[in-house]
Amino acid sequence: MKAVIFDWAGTMVDYGCFAPLAVFLQVFEKRGIELTAAEAREPMGMLKRDHIAALCRMERVAELWKEKFGRYPNEADVDELYADFEPMLMATLHDYATPVPGALALVARLRERGIKIGSTTGYTREMMNVVAAAAKEQGYEPDCLVTPSEVPAGRPYPWMCYQNAIQLDVYPFGEMVKVGDTTSDMQEGRNAGMWTVGVLKGGSELGLSQQEVANMPADELEERLASAAARLQAAGAHYVIEEIGRLDEVLAKIELRLKAGERP
């Protein structure tokens, strides 16, 4: 194994991926459209403008919009929503850069083994300048960061992963692992020809805070974990882990498969 390409929010920082959630809800609420948290999270991991466009294409949301404005949302509406969204998110991002439990120790173990650390995101470069600086202050700094701003398109396209490979000088893609918490992460990794791993606790698919995970009845938590795992697997995950600190166990399994001649 030569490199691991991590997502940021919901995977390595911002437990539960809460930074963008409230803002998505607020920009639609401003226009009289009440999104559910589940709807707002569904396209999570995409470039944020693409995320807003995906929300507007949802049947229920589009019908609410038509009921309110007499027509379905168009590109100009997406631009207006995003124009509201970006400054609202930028104002709070620095508060959502705390590494998730186990992330820093995992990175240290990977580096001890000579494995390079890359990263991709659904945030723009301007957004990531805020998140990366705040995360660095708390001990997390990958070897490489690529945002959708530097490539032709964000997830689910593989371009950010390819640019990581170039900057890290790593090849072949079958000896790299993409790790994330959303379905678009899984699609990105598979499209790049990499082993792809989904993470549950701390992630957007599970959508729970640390306190909620700690206090939820065990049977309800297991049901939610199973549901989130199924969505990640359906999107292409080779493996799903409960928490980021358990990635080592999966890497050991992948390395055995590589030695046996398997490829992702």
Side-chain angles (χ1 to χ4, degrees):
M1 196 56 53
K2 295 177 179 175
V4 178
I5 313 300
F6 290 105
D7 170 54
W8 280 78
T11 300
M12 297 299 278
V13 301
D14 185 10
Y15 193 106
C17 197
F18 282 99
L21 177 64
V23 185
F24 283 126
L25 296 175
Q26 288 168 28
V27 295
F28 278 88
E29 184 180 3
K30 181 180 174 182
R31 289 157 177 82
I33 308 295
E34 298 288 338
L35 296 181
T36 67
E39 286 170 336
R41 284 187 180 277
E42 189 172 319
M44 203 70 83
M46 300 175 73
L47 178 65
K48 298 313 170 199
R49 189 193 180 283
D50 294 344
H51 187 133
I52 289 172
L55 292 174
C56 288
R57 289 193 298 270
M58 290 181 177
E59 184 176 355
R60 193 187 78 87
V61 177
E63 291 299 332
L64 286 174
W65 192 282
K66 185 179 181 183
E67 184 179 314
K68 181 81 175 178
F69 299 106
R71 59 171 175 77
Y72 292 118
N74 56 33
E75 285 298 303
D77 296 318
V78 173
D79 288 337
E80 288 182 11
L81 287 161
Y82 184 73
D84 282 353
F85 174 87
E86 185 170 351
M88 291 170 67
L89 182 66
M90 289 291 292
T92 60
L93 275 176
H94 62 280
D95 295 325
Y96 293 91
T98 302
V100 304
L104 299 183
L106 170 66
V107 169
R109 293 194 300 271
L110 295 178
R111 285 188 166 140
E112 283 177 7
R113 297 171 54 187
I115 295 175
K116 295 179 180 180
I117 310 298
S119 65
T120 68
T121 180
Y123 289 151
T124 64
R125 171 56 67 173
E126 186 179 16
M127 294 170 187
M128 280 311 304
N129 287 341
V130 176
V131 176
K136 183 177 179 180
E137 290 177 356
Q138 299 174 75
Y140 178 58
E141 184 181 19
D143 303 320
C144 177
L145 163 59
V146 180
T147 77
S149 304
E150 287 93 63
V151 293
R155 300 167 182 151
Y157 293 94
W159 314 136
M160 288 189 291
C161 285
Y162 290 169
Q163 192 62 35
N164 267 270
I166 292 169
Q167 293 185 25
L168 295 172
D169 190 22
V170 173
Y171 185 82
F173 298 114
E175 294 177 14
M176 302 173 72
V177 177
K178 172 67 211 302
V179 183
D181 64 297
T182 67
T183 57
S184 63
D185 281 299
M186 303 303 97
Q187 294 163 348
E188 176 188 37
R190 290 300 293 256
N191 289 339
M194 298 177 179
W195 296 97
T196 303
V197 180
V199 61
L200 297 173
K201 291 181 180 177
S204 183
E205 284 298 320
L206 187 62
L208 298 174
S209 68
Q210 285 179 262
Q211 185 175 1
E212 287 172 323
V213 169
N215 296 335
M216 185 169 287
D219 56 346
E220 183 181 352
L221 180 59
E222 284 305 311
E223 184 177 332
R224 292 200 182 199
L225 287 167
S227 179
R231 291 192 295 273
L232 293 171
Q233 289 163 342
H238 290 99
Y239 295 93
V240 175
I241 53 178
E242 277 204 8
E243 48 198 37
I244 197 66
R246 301 185 65 175
L247 182 64
D248 313 66
E249 301 168 21
V250 168
L251 296 185
K253 294 176 182 177
I254 292 174
E255 286 174 344
L256 287 175
R257 294 176 69 175
L258 286 171
K259 288 176 183 177
E262 289 191 55
R263 293 295 179 268

PDB file of all heavy atoms in Angstrom, residues 198-214:
ATOM      1  N   GLY A 198     -15.519   2.987   3.265  1.00  0.00           N
ATOM      2  CA  GLY A 198     -16.458   3.910   3.890  1.00  0.00           C
ATOM      3  C   GLY A 198     -16.316   3.890   5.399  1.00  0.00           C
ATOM      4  O   GLY A 198     -16.038   2.843   5.989  1.00  0.00           O
ATOM      5  N   VAL A 199     -16.510   5.042   6.029  1.00  0.00           N
ATOM      6  CA  VAL A 199     -16.444   5.132   7.485  1.00  0.00           C
ATOM      7  C   VAL A 199     -17.799   5.605   8.015  1.00  0.00           C
ATOM      8  O   VAL A 199     -18.435   6.470   7.421  1.00  0.00           O
ATOM      9  CB  VAL A 199     -15.294   6.066   7.932  1.00  0.00           C
ATOM     10  CG1 VAL A 199     -15.484   7.480   7.424  1.00  0.00           C
ATOM     11  CG2 VAL A 199     -15.139   6.069   9.446  1.00  0.00           C
ATOM     12  N   LEU A 200     -18.247   5.023   9.125  1.00  0.00           N
ATOM     13  CA  LEU A 200     -19.589   5.259   9.640  1.00  0.00           C
ATOM     14  C   LEU A 200     -19.643   6.299  10.754  1.00  0.00           C
ATOM     15  O   LEU A 200     -20.236   7.362  10.586  1.00  0.00           O
ATOM     16  CB  LEU A 200     -20.189   3.936  10.132  1.00  0.00           C
ATOM     17  CG  LEU A 200     -20.383   2.858   9.056  1.00  0.00           C
ATOM     18  CD1 LEU A 200     -20.812   1.549   9.697  1.00  0.00           C
ATOM     19  CD2 LEU A 200     -21.416   3.311   8.038  1.00  0.00           C
ATOM     20  N   LYS A 201     -19.065   6.016  11.893  1.00  0.00           N
ATOM     21  CA  LYS A 201     -19.151   6.934  13.020  1.00  0.00           C
ATOM     22  C   LYS A 201     -18.361   8.204  12.719  1.00  0.00           C
ATOM     23  O   LYS A 201     -17.197   8.148  12.353  1.00  0.00           O
ATOM     24  CB  LYS A 201     -18.633   6.265  14.299  1.00  0.00           C
ATOM     25  CG  LYS A 201     -19.545   5.157  14.797  1.00  0.00           C
ATOM     26  CD  LYS A 201     -19.001   4.525  16.080  1.00  0.00           C
ATOM     27  CE  LYS A 201     -19.922   3.411  16.578  1.00  0.00           C
ATOM     28  NZ  LYS A 201     -19.371   2.738  17.784  1.00  0.00           N
ATOM     29  N   GLY A 202     -19.038   9.339  12.881  1.00  0.00           N
ATOM     30  CA  GLY A 202     -18.439  10.622  12.526  1.00  0.00           C
ATOM     31  C   GLY A 202     -18.823  11.069  11.136  1.00  0.00           C
ATOM     32  O   GLY A 202     -18.575  12.214  10.766  1.00  0.00           O
ATOM     33  N   GLY A 203     -19.442  10.174  10.359  1.00  0.00           N
ATOM     34  CA  GLY A 203     -19.736  10.465   8.973  1.00  0.00           C
ATOM     35  C   GLY A 203     -21.120  11.024   8.719  1.00  0.00           C
ATOM     36  O   GLY A 203     -22.021  10.943   9.560  1.00  0.00           O
ATOM     37  N   SER A 204     -21.304  11.558   7.506  1.00  0.00           N
ATOM     38  CA  SER A 204     -22.579  12.166   7.139  1.00  0.00           C
ATOM     39  C   SER A 204     -23.681  11.140   6.924  1.00  0.00           C
ATOM     40  O   SER A 204     -24.850  11.425   7.182  1.00  0.00           O
ATOM     41  CB  SER A 204     -22.412  13.014   5.874  1.00  0.00           C
ATOM     42  OG  SER A 204     -23.612  13.667   5.548  1.00  0.00           O
ATOM     43  N   GLU A 205     -23.337   9.947   6.433  1.00  0.00           N
ATOM     44  CA  GLU A 205     -24.376   8.934   6.215  1.00  0.00           C
ATOM     45  C   GLU A 205     -25.040   8.540   7.525  1.00  0.00           C
ATOM     46  O   GLU A 205     -26.254   8.340   7.580  1.00  0.00           O
ATOM     47  CB  GLU A 205     -23.789   7.706   5.513  1.00  0.00           C
ATOM     48  CG  GLU A 205     -23.532   7.898   4.036  1.00  0.00           C
ATOM     49  CD  GLU A 205     -24.791   8.199   3.233  1.00  0.00           C
ATOM     50  OE1 GLU A 205     -25.840   7.592   3.511  1.00  0.00           O
ATOM     51  OE2 GLU A 205     -24.735   9.051   2.332  1.00  0.00           O
ATOM     52  N   LEU A 206     -24.247   8.415   8.602  1.00  0.00           N
ATOM     53  CA  LEU A 206     -24.826   8.144   9.916  1.00  0.00           C
ATOM     54  C   LEU A 206     -25.466   9.411  10.469  1.00  0.00           C
ATOM     55  O   LEU A 206     -26.559   9.371  11.037  1.00  0.00           O
ATOM     56  CB  LEU A 206     -23.759   7.614  10.877  1.00  0.00           C
ATOM     57  CG  LEU A 206     -24.260   7.132  12.234  1.00  0.00           C
ATOM     58  CD1 LEU A 206     -25.224   5.953  12.074  1.00  0.00           C
ATOM     59  CD2 LEU A 206     -23.091   6.741  13.147  1.00  0.00           C
ATOM     60  N   GLY A 207     -24.764  10.542  10.317  1.00  0.00           N
ATOM     61  CA  GLY A 207     -25.345  11.841  10.646  1.00  0.00           C
ATOM     62  C   GLY A 207     -25.607  12.082  12.114  1.00  0.00           C
ATOM     63  O   GLY A 207     -26.558  12.777  12.463  1.00  0.00           O
ATOM     64  N   LEU A 208     -24.761  11.538  12.985  1.00  0.00           N
ATOM     65  CA  LEU A 208     -24.953  11.693  14.426  1.00  0.00           C
ATOM     66  C   LEU A 208     -23.734  12.372  15.052  1.00  0.00           C
ATOM     67  O   LEU A 208     -22.603  12.174  14.619  1.00  0.00           O
ATOM     68  CB  LEU A 208     -25.136  10.322  15.088  1.00  0.00           C
ATOM     69  CG  LEU A 208     -26.348   9.493  14.656  1.00  0.00           C
ATOM     70  CD1 LEU A 208     -26.281   8.115  15.306  1.00  0.00           C
ATOM     71  CD2 LEU A 208     -27.658  10.200  15.012  1.00  0.00           C
ATOM     72  N   SER A 209     -23.977  13.159  16.098  1.00  0.00           N
ATOM     73  CA  SER A 209     -22.881  13.748  16.863  1.00  0.00           C
ATOM     74  C   SER A 209     -22.267  12.692  17.778  1.00  0.00           C
ATOM     75  O   SER A 209     -22.841  11.606  17.975  1.00  0.00           O
ATOM     76  CB  SER A 209     -23.404  14.907  17.712  1.00  0.00           C
ATOM     77  OG  SER A 209     -24.268  14.412  18.738  1.00  0.00           O
ATOM     78  N   GLN A 210     -21.102  13.015  18.356  1.00  0.00           N
ATOM     79  CA  GLN A 210     -20.472  12.082  19.296  1.00  0.00           C
ATOM     80  C   GLN A 210     -21.395  11.799  20.476  1.00  0.00           C
ATOM     81  O   GLN A 210     -21.495  10.658  20.934  1.00  0.00           O
ATOM     82  CB  GLN A 210     -19.147  12.662  19.810  1.00  0.00           C
ATOM     83  CG  GLN A 210     -18.013  12.594  18.804  1.00  0.00           C
ATOM     84  CD  GLN A 210     -16.735  13.201  19.355  1.00  0.00           C
ATOM     85  OE1 GLN A 210     -16.416  14.344  19.079  1.00  0.00           O
ATOM     86  NE2 GLN A 210     -16.008  12.435  20.124  1.00  0.00           N
ATOM     87  N   GLN A 211     -22.061  12.828  20.975  1.00  0.00           N
ATOM     88  CA  GLN A 211     -22.958  12.652  22.113  1.00  0.00           C
ATOM     89  C   GLN A 211     -24.129  11.751  21.747  1.00  0.00           C
ATOM     90  O   GLN A 211     -24.540  10.882  22.531  1.00  0.00           O
ATOM     91  CB  GLN A 211     -23.461  14.008  22.608  1.00  0.00           C
ATOM     92  CG  GLN A 211     -24.308  13.919  23.877  1.00  0.00           C
ATOM     93  CD  GLN A 211     -24.678  15.288  24.410  1.00  0.00           C
ATOM     94  OE1 GLN A 211     -24.334  16.309  23.840  1.00  0.00           O
ATOM     95  NE2 GLN A 211     -25.404  15.308  25.528  1.00  0.00           N
ATOM     96  N   GLU A 212     -24.670  11.928  20.544  1.00  0.00           N
ATOM     97  CA  GLU A 212     -25.787  11.095  20.102  1.00  0.00           C
ATOM     98  C   GLU A 212     -25.356   9.641  19.960  1.00  0.00           C
ATOM     99  O   GLU A 212     -26.096   8.724  20.347  1.00  0.00           O
ATOM    100  CB  GLU A 212     -26.338  11.617  18.777  1.00  0.00           C
ATOM    101  CG  GLU A 212     -27.125  12.902  18.908  1.00  0.00           C
ATOM    102  CD  GLU A 212     -27.500  13.502  17.577  1.00  0.00           C
ATOM    103  OE1 GLU A 212     -26.690  13.422  16.627  1.00  0.00           O
ATOM    104  OE2 GLU A 212     -28.607  14.078  17.473  1.00  0.00           O
ATOM    105  N   VAL A 213     -24.162   9.409  19.425  1.00  0.00           N
ATOM    106  CA  VAL A 213     -23.645   8.037  19.300  1.00  0.00           C
ATOM    107  C   VAL A 213     -23.481   7.410  20.676  1.00  0.00           C
ATOM    108  O   VAL A 213     -23.835   6.248  20.904  1.00  0.00           O
ATOM    109  CB  VAL A 213     -22.305   8.030  18.528  1.00  0.00           C
ATOM    110  CG1 VAL A 213     -21.633   6.658  18.634  1.00  0.00           C
ATOM    111  CG2 VAL A 213     -22.524   8.391  17.066  1.00  0.00           C
ATOM    112  N   ALA A 214     -22.938   8.196  21.616  1.00  0.00           N
ATOM    113  CA  ALA A 214     -22.676   7.674  22.963  1.00  0.00           C
ATOM    114  C   ALA A 214     -23.961   7.367  23.727  1.00  0.00           C
ATOM    115  O   ALA A 214     -24.015   6.406  24.507  1.00  0.00           O
ATOM    116  CB  ALA A 214     -21.830   8.677  23.739  1.00  0.00           C
TER     117      ALA A 214
END
